[in-house]
Amino acid sequence: MKMKKLSICVMVAFATCVMMLTSCLDGNNSSFAQIGGAGVVKFSSSSMRSLLYFNNRDLPLYHSSLNSMTENTCVVFYATIDSDNEANENIATTGYYVPSSFDYVEIGSSSLSSYMTDTTKVTENELAVKDLAEYGFIQDYLFFLINLSENKPEQKNYYSLEYDKIEPEEINGKRIYNLYLRVRKTEDGVNGTESNVTYGFNSSYFINSAHQQEKLAGENTINLRINYISEIDDTDEDDIQIKKWSYLDMGSIYFSDEN
């Protein structure tokens, strides 16, 4: 069984390509399926193994390299699944797939913050987000692909996803919860251009609270809007200003009546 831990530059660049890749573990004429994206490692009490959860539809993955990872480790990965492989003969019993190849890199993660940074001011060393794409909500985590205005090799950044209150706003007839993404450079990098950043935010408290509110309102979905600074005016170094806020409307998070 093959496992290779790729460099973060290679793997995160790869993540840009696999975001649109759909898993074909079900209904595919071939026994092979190639899957990739973001995921989180959770310990399964039923299988007594650490498993990688990568969406809310397919079974998770098991690979021996996951054994050394701590709970809630977030990764970007690429795997090949052979459903005819002997290790996958009893997935209904085991509850997971065993990939024949598995490449990954660990990514950063943090929890949502109830502390709101002033949305009218630029913080020290704040970075604009050129573009933002979602991986979705997976096992309590919101995953995003973040394209920054400045991101050099070995540069270190601080990522914060914040909210003022857990209350929806009525927008075009939809109940939408607002979150605010802020990115600040904490350490300079070296010359060159780094690829996009994939990052995960533990959102369990926020989502559970929003879930209860939507349930009381007779709804079965949660709609999130991610607001981010897309342009910063730094022509005057003594008076740097936010030039433009943009937003990403995420796909609805569905929950069943039993939850």
Side-chain angles (χ1 to χ4, degrees):
M1 188 178 297
K2 176 188 173 187
M3 186 282 293
K4 179 169 57 178
K5 186 174 181 180
L6 301 180
S7 72
I8 190 166
C9 295
V10 173
M11 203 61 188
V12 174
F14 168 79
T16 308
C17 301
V18 301
M19 281 196 69
M20 299 304 295
L21 180 66
T22 57
S23 170
C24 47
L25 297 178
D26 297 317
N28 191 346
N29 293 330
S30 171
S31 66
F32 287 92
Q34 294 180 324
I35 57 176
V40 58
V41 176
K42 298 273 190 178
F43 182 77
S44 168
S45 57
S46 59
S47 65
M48 298 302 292
R49 293 178 182 272
S50 291
L51 304 178
L52 176 64
Y53 295 83
F54 58 95
N55 64 33
N56 299 314
R57 181 181 65 254
D58 294 316
L59 292 175
L61 305 181
Y62 170 71
H63 190 275
S64 58
S65 61
L66 303 176
N67 295 336
S68 61
M69 297 186 192
T70 58
E71 183 82 352
N72 294 322
T73 296
C74 295
V75 303
V76 167
F77 76 98
Y78 175 77
T80 301
I81 307 296
D82 180 3
S83 57
D84 288 343
N85 189 309
E86 182 179 349
N88 294 318
E89 288 182 349
N90 298 307
I91 58 173
T93 301
T94 63
Y96 56 80
Y97 283 100
V98 178
S100 52
S101 67
F102 184 68
D103 304 327
Y104 76 95
V105 64
E106 294 184 21
I107 60 173
S109 64
S110 57
S111 296
L112 259 64
S113 173
S114 59
Y115 173 79
M116 272 285 293
T117 305
D118 191 336
T119 57
T120 66
K121 297 180 180 179
V122 177
T123 61
E124 184 177 4
N125 295 322
E126 183 143 24
L127 300 175
V129 175
K130 293 168 60 178
D131 195 20
L132 184 67
E134 63 167 301
Y135 279 104
F137 179 66
I138 305 168
Q139 291 287 314
D140 295 333
Y141 279 78
L142 292 169
F143 287 97
F144 299 98
L145 186 65
I146 307 169
N147 185 0
L148 296 170
S149 59
E150 176 190 341
N151 193 40
K152 297 180 178 180
E154 300 181 28
Q155 175 177 313
K156 289 182 173 56
N157 305 316
Y158 175 78
Y159 301 86
S160 181
L161 192 57
E162 308 168 355
Y163 61 92
D164 180 35
K165 53 189 176 182
I166 309 178
E167 292 182 10
E169 178 183 355
E170 190 83 13
I171 302 176
N172 296 326
K174 293 179 68 174
R175 293 163 57 89
I176 294 178
Y177 293 82
N178 282 284
L179 296 170
Y180 296 82
L181 175 65
R182 309 296 290 260
V183 183
R184 179 168 51 88
K185 181 173 65 175
T186 58
E187 189 174 316
D188 289 330
V190 297
N191 290 334
T193 303
E194 187 63 278
S195 56
N196 298 334
V197 175
T198 305
Y199 200 88
F201 295 95
N202 188 320
S203 314
S204 57
Y205 176 76
F206 185 95
I207 294 297
N208 288 336
S209 298
H211 175 182
Q212 294 305 314
Q213 290 195 50
E214 295 309 291
K215 189 174 181 179
L216 289 173
E219 302 289 341
N220 65 348
T221 61
I222 298 171
N223 301 300
L224 299 179
R225 172 169 289 185
I226 313 302
N227 301 274
Y228 59 93
I229 299 172
S230 55
E231 294 183 38
I232 293 176
D233 183 359
D234 57 0
T235 52
D236 183 352
E237 293 184 357
D238 296 324
D239 187 26
I240 299 176
Q241 300 284 335
I242 296 174
K243 187 175 181 180
K244 182 182 178 182
W245 278 92
S246 297
Y247 63 84
L248 166 71
D249 280 338
M250 293 187 62
S252 298
I253 299 173
Y254 292 84
F255 52 86
S256 65
D257 293 336
E258 292 77 25
N259 291 338

